[in-house]
């Protein structure tokens, strides 16, 4: 009995223990795995030795590399191969969808609970990577913000980048959101999705699919995407889709990225939404000012205390929220206030759009309309309402839907940089002379005098708190209207036009 035979036995046992397969599937699944490993014979071990999926897959991948089944031993090639192996345990889409529909007939939550666990068990969501993410909360004037440093999304190794550059170009699937990803083997420049399953749903009379994000930035992080590869567009139909989704899954929040560059998400080419079973910090914010809209006296309207500029609407009638949201969107698209440096367009390029988020609040529907503007200036070429240059050492990327709602998704480089920064601060070193962390020097000079004592015991808490405060400033930069009397008066000028 060899090590690889034990690994095959353990993987089949994992499938049985998680319910991915039944005893009827045991021999069939074993033979599928043997075929993937080019094994012609198999002596089945008597006992399981581990149920830890990460270690089981490591043994299989090490064997595959030793036998030349994997071209190189880098993370991309290993991910492509272990996904092929895991697909031996995963049911066909028709079976997955039938199970989801069966559970949905009992309750939407029962269906999503099952599908989320299924997506973890299949290793589409890699639990052993997700648990490495760093997470904490930072108290701010707007309430606690959620901070994460994402360590679960694999970074391509140099070999894979070079190989992908020389690989034949293909337009299939058109993007990483397209339904054609279901079961796709992947390639060096496109992740494997053989163990990926999606659920068809209908919202606003259009065909969409429901899936989970493999990187899970928060609990049950789901993606809802159009069956067709069609661009993002914020319009009345978006509000209809958001509320149709909430009717289907009332325990979830759902939102859309904006539809313009700089203030939009990373994939503007494919119509999609993101949501999940999670209460974001924004949802806990209270009104700072309420107002009435003529003809919509039955709808609760107001501005909430949030670093970005957010109008909240609430009603028992989703149709009324759709109508008023459409009206506000139209007003904002066309709105210019030169004194507040808000321009609807310059040289024919539109600047105003909205990031909408919908949820249930008790028995009422609620929608937050975040006002966005993507104008650039010579001083701020990446966007005036975008993280300013002095904050780029922490966060330079666009502020999309997830950040708008108060959850920072920060780059993995920060973990290593904070470790070096910690050592430099405690050792009294010249931070500007250390290449990897020199960009943080001005920031450290700014916050360090606030603390009477910095020790091994409190340095981690200090760094986490200060990173959180930078994220708060990032959100304030992205706010079209600031938290000053003059700026709030300018916001009132806009809400008076509604």
């Amino acid at each position: 009995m060899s090590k690889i035979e034990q690994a095959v036995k353990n993987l089949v046992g994992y499938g049985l223990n998680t319910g991915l397969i039944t005893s009827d599937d045991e021999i069939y699944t074993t033979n599928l795995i043997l075929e993937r490993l080019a094994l012609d014979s198999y002596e089945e071990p008597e006992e399981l030795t581990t149920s830890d999926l990460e270690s089981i897959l490591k043994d299989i991948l090490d064997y595959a590399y030793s036998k030349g089944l994997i071209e190189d031993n880098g993370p991309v090639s290993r991910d492509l191969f272990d996904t092929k192996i895991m697909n031996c345990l995963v049911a066909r889409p028709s079976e997955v969808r039938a199970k989801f529909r069966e559970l949905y007939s009992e309750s939407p939550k029962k269906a999503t609970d099952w599908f989320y666990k299924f997506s973890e068990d299949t290793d589409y969501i890699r639990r052993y990577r997700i648990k490495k993410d760093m997470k904490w909360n930072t108290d701010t004037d707007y309430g606690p913000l959620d901070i994460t440093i994402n360590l679960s999304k694999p970074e391509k190794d140099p070999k894979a980048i070079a190989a992908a550059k020389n690989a034949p170009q293909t337009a299939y699937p058109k993007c990483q959101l397209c339904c054609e990803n279901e079961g796709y083997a992947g390639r060096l420049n496109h992740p494997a999705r053989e163990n990926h399953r999606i659920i068809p749903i209908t919202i606003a009379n259009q065909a969409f699919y429901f899936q989970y994000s493999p990187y899970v930035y928060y609990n049950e992080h789901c993606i809802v995407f159009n069956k067709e590869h069609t661009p993002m567009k914020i319009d009345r139909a978006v509000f209809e889709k958001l509320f149709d989704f909430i009717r289907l899954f009332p325990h979830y929040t759902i939102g859309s990225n904006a539809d313009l560059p700089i203030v939009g998400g990373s994939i503007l080419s494919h119509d999609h939404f993101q949501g999940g079973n999670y209460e974001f910090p924004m949802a806990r914010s209270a009104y700072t000012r309420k107002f009435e809209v003529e003809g919509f006296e039955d709808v609760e309207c107001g501005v909430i205390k949030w670093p970005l500029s957010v109008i909240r609407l609430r009603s028992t009638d989703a149709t009324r929220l759709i109508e008023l949201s459409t009206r506000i969107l139209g007003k904002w698209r066309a709105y210019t206030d030169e004194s507040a440096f808000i321009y609807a367009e310059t040289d024919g390029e539109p600047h105003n759009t909205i990031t909408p988020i919908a949820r249930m609040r008790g028995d009422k529907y609620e929608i937050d309309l975040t006002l966005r503007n993507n104008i650039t200036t010579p001083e701020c070429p990446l966007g005036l309402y975008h993280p300013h240059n002095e904050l780029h050492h922490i966060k330079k990327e666009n502020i999309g839907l997830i950040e708008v709602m108060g959850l920072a998704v920060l780059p993995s480089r920060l973990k290593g940089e904070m470790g070096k920064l910690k050592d430099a601060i405690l050792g009294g070193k010249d931070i500007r002379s250390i290449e990897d962390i020199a960009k943080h020097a001005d920031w450290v000079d700014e916050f360090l005098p606030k603390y009477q004592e910095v020790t091994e015991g409190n340095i981690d808490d200090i760094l986490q708190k200060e990173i959180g405060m930078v994220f708060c400033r990032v959100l304030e930069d992205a706010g079209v209207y600031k938290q000053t009397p003059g700026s709030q008066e300018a916001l009132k000028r806009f809400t008076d036009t509604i």
Side-chain angles (χ1 to χ4, degrees):
M1 189 269 295
S2 64
K3 188 174 182 180
I4 187 59
E5 287 172 326
Q6 185 65 63
V8 171
K9 170 78 173 180
N10 288 340
L11 185 59
V12 173
Y14 169 86
L16 290 166
N17 290 336
T18 55
L20 288 174
I21 62 173
T22 70
S23 57
D24 289 337
D25 306 314
E26 190 170 352
I27 294 173
Y28 174 77
T29 302
T30 300
N31 285 328
L32 284 179
I33 297 168
L34 295 178
E35 187 275 331
R36 300 287 193 276
L37 294 172
L39 288 168
D40 294 327
S41 62
Y42 175 64
E43 181 182 337
E44 183 178 359
E46 291 186 9
E47 303 290 336
L48 300 174
T49 57
T50 182
S51 60
D52 178 65
L53 183 59
E54 185 177 18
S55 62
I56 295 170
L57 291 176
K58 182 183 184 303
D59 288 343
I60 290 174
L61 289 166
D62 289 347
Y63 171 84
Y65 178 63
S66 74
K67 297 299 182 182
L69 299 174
I70 303 176
E71 286 186 21
D72 67 72
N73 208 26
V76 174
S77 294
R78 288 173 74 92
D79 280 3
L80 288 170
F81 193 82
D82 71 8
T83 305
K84 191 184 298 291
I85 294 294
M86 285 305 299
N87 192 40
C88 298
L89 281 67
V90 184
R92 288 178 177 267
S94 58
E95 299 172 66
V96 175
R97 294 170 188 183
K99 178 70 172 178
F100 187 90
R101 286 193 296 268
E102 175 193 335
L103 292 171
Y104 186 88
S105 68
E106 298 178 41
S107 86
K109 188 173 186 305
K110 191 170 282 190
T112 56
D113 284 351
W114 172 80
F115 187 45
Y116 187 69
K117 180 181 181 297
F118 170 85
S119 299
E120 291 182 313
D121 291 341
T122 63
D123 208 36
Y124 167 70
I125 296 171
R126 297 176 184 254
R127 288 187 183 102
Y128 46 87
R129 289 183 182 166
I130 302 298
K131 70 181 182 183
K132 296 175 184 175
D133 290 350
M134 298 176 65
K135 300 182 179 183
W136 69 91
N137 304 111
T138 298
D139 289 329
T140 72
D141 290 343
Y142 308 97
L145 297 179
D146 296 341
I147 314 297
T148 67
I149 295 179
N150 183 260
L151 303 171
S152 56
K153 193 171 184 176
E155 296 183 9
K156 289 184 181 178
D157 58 297
K159 284 184 181 178
I161 293 171
K165 194 174 181 181
N166 298 322
Q169 294 302 302
T170 175
Y172 181 88
K174 289 179 181 175
C175 78
Q176 291 187 27
L177 287 179
C178 286
C179 57
E180 289 81 10
N181 282 281
E182 187 177 38
Y184 184 62
R187 52 185 191 268
L188 290 172
N189 60 356
H190 193 104
R193 291 290 181 254
E194 286 171 290
N195 56 350
H196 177 41
R197 300 294 181 265
I198 57 180
I199 304 295
I201 62 173
T202 301
I203 50 177
N205 299 313
Q206 289 188 36
F208 272 69
Y209 288 100
F210 171 84
Q211 68 170 62
Y212 289 107
S213 165
Y215 309 118
V216 194
Y217 294 147
Y218 50 85
N219 188 47
E220 296 177 43
H221 178 181
C222 71
I223 301 173
V224 181
F225 62 97
N226 200 314
K227 182 180 180 181
E228 304 299 327
H229 182 78
T230 186
M232 300 277 292
K233 185 181 180 184
I234 301 296
D235 56 10
R236 180 188 175 97
V238 162
F239 304 133
E240 292 172 348
K241 292 167 191 171
L242 294 180
F243 284 114
D244 267 9
F245 180 85
I246 292 298
R247 291 186 187 100
L248 288 173
F249 303 100
H251 57 300
Y252 272 23
T253 291
I254 188 79
S256 174
N257 266 302
D259 55 355
L260 294 178
I262 296 176
V263 295
S266 57
I267 302 179
L268 293 177
S269 60
H270 197 128
D271 182 24
H272 72 284
F273 312 112
Q274 293 183 80
N277 188 10
Y278 189 75
E279 184 181 59
F280 288 90
M282 173 193 267
R284 298 190 288 268
S285 287
Y287 290 113
T288 56
R289 174 174 64 87
K290 288 190 176 183
F291 58 89
E292 265 194 8
V293 176
E294 187 177 350
F296 290 90
E297 290 81 6
D298 56 317
V299 176
E300 187 178 310
C301 311
V303 173
I304 64 171
K305 185 175 182 181
W306 195 243
L308 289 98
S309 311
V310 182
I311 295 171
R312 176 169 292 168
L313 310 178
R314 195 181 287 163
S315 175
T316 54
D317 185 350
T319 303
R320 297 291 283 161
L321 296 186
I322 292 166
E323 290 169 353
L324 183 50
S325 296
T326 305
R327 179 164 161 180
I328 292 171
L329 173 64
K331 294 281 188 182
W332 180 244
R333 291 269 197 208
Y335 188 73
T336 291
D337 181 350
E338 294 185 10
S339 66
F341 209 86
I342 296 167
Y343 294 87
E345 59 87 22
T346 55
D347 300 324
E349 180 189 349
H351 295 305
N352 290 347
T353 186
I354 277 175
T355 301
I357 301 104
R359 64 182 77 86
M360 292 299 298
R361 179 82 69 175
D363 62 348
K364 291 185 177 181
Y365 295 97
E366 184 174 278
I367 187 165
D368 287 343
L369 304 174
T370 311
L371 307 178
R372 311 298 301 276
N373 181 290
N374 76 345
I375 197 167
T376 60
T377 67
E379 298 77 23
C380 298
L382 297 178
L384 179 61
Y385 305 111
H386 177 88
H388 288 181
N389 295 347
E390 68 272 16
L391 307 179
H392 288 179
H393 64 104
I394 298 291
K395 178 74 174 175
K396 183 178 182 179
E397 298 77 14
N398 293 350
I399 302 304
L401 171 67
I402 295 171
E403 287 92 358
V404 164
M405 294 187 288
L407 190 154
V409 182
L410 301 177
S412 59
R413 64 172 171 82
L414 282 178
K415 181 183 180 183
E417 290 174 8
M418 290 308 110
K420 292 179 181 179
L421 199 58
K422 170 183 172 179
D423 292 342
I425 292 172
L426 292 176
K429 298 175 184 174
D430 177 14
I431 293 170
R432 286 179 175 79
S433 68
I434 305 172
E435 185 178 354
D436 287 355
I437 57 174
K439 59 179 171 283
H440 298 299
D442 288 345
W443 172 55
V444 173
D445 287 346
E446 180 185 322
F447 75 71
L448 213 53
K450 294 191 296 186
Y451 300 93
Q452 289 184 340
E453 192 177 26
V454 178
T455 67
E456 182 77 38
N458 69 4
I459 183 68
D460 290 328
D461 288 342
I462 288 172
L463 287 173
Q464 288 190 352
K465 177 184 176 182
E466 294 300 331
I467 288 172
M469 296 311 294
V470 168
F471 178 60
C472 184
R473 289 169 60 190
V474 159
L475 295 184
E476 288 176 332
D477 282 352
V480 178
Y481 296 99
K482 311 306 179 187
Q483 300 297 315
T484 62
S487 198
Q488 289 300 300
E489 184 57 37
L491 174 54
K492 185 176 185 300
R493 287 199 296 273
F494 170 67
T495 58
D496 286 346
T497 70
I498 299 170

